[in-house]
Amino acid sequence: MMAAMRRAITLLCIVLLAGTMQANFARSETLLWTARASGGLVTLAYGSPNPMKNPLFLLSCFNDMNIAVLDVHKDIAGAKPGGALTIELAAGDAKASIDGEAARDDMAGIIFGEASDITLAPILAVLRETGPVTLNMGETSATLTDHGRADAVAQFVEDCQVK
């Protein structure tokens, strides 16, 4: 009976440890900078390597339509879909302020920021700085690391024809 009890306790400890490790892994998921080009669409993203998750930051360049769009998939407390919103980016001495609006992501259940037909130069100036980028939308903020950003931004600039 003692051996059975020890096995049960050991099994319980393993289950609890595995659950804790899985929760810690999910919380500490590494966010990556990536640039991709497919046909006339070029993207610069900062987010999970899991393609099933929306990236936190997504800059899209639609070469065929000559427009660029910025999406920031972070829940904006108190925002209403369609409401005006300013997305602010800063790194080093560079700052960019982008006029956008709040939008609803029904799948994720959040209100996020988006800006269409934007000018890329001020955003790229911020992204080319060294150090982390601070992103603000009202009281909502995030910090985007610079690890891998320079290479991803260089690739995006090479493939994006929108100025």
Side-chain angles (χ1 to χ4, degrees):
M1 173 136 153
M2 192 64 133
M5 189 179 233
R6 239 183 275 138
R7 276 194 302 266
I9 291 172
T10 302
L11 182 59
L12 178 62
C13 288
I14 290 170
V15 169
L16 290 174
L17 182 60
T20 302
M21 289 173 60
Q22 184 177 15
N24 286 336
F25 177 75
R27 264 188 253 123
S28 66
E29 181 177 33
T30 301
L31 302 181
L32 307 171
W33 284 98
T34 56
R36 291 193 171 88
S38 178
L41 173 64
V42 181
T43 60
L44 174 65
Y46 178 74
S48 169
N50 180 347
M52 300 305 291
K53 293 184 178 182
N54 284 328
L56 171 63
F57 177 95
L58 179 63
L59 186 58
S60 301
C61 175
F62 296 90
N63 287 332
D64 296 340
M65 296 183 283
N66 200 37
I67 63 168
V69 175
L70 174 62
D71 291 318
V72 180
H73 288 271
K74 182 148 178 83
D75 197 16
I76 307 168
K80 293 187 178 12
L85 176 71
T86 300
I87 301 168
E88 297 172 334
L89 301 171
D93 293 330
K95 294 181 180 174
S97 184
I98 304 104
D99 293 328
E101 68 178 44
R104 178 181 304 281
D105 180 338
D106 291 325
M107 299 260 312
I110 66 167
I111 305 293
F112 69 99
E114 69 178 359
S116 299
D117 202 10
I118 58 175
T119 303
L120 288 174
I123 297 169
L124 294 174
V126 172
L127 296 176
R128 286 181 173 128
E129 289 285 323
T130 57
V133 169
T134 303
L135 182 146
N136 291 303
M137 298 180 297
E139 293 182 22
T140 299
S141 65
T143 301
L144 292 63
T145 68
D146 66 345
H147 184 69
R149 189 173 70 224
D151 291 338
V153 169
Q155 186 64 54
F156 177 83
V157 169
E158 183 178 318
D159 295 334
C160 177
Q161 298 167 5
V162 176
K163 303 301 170 204

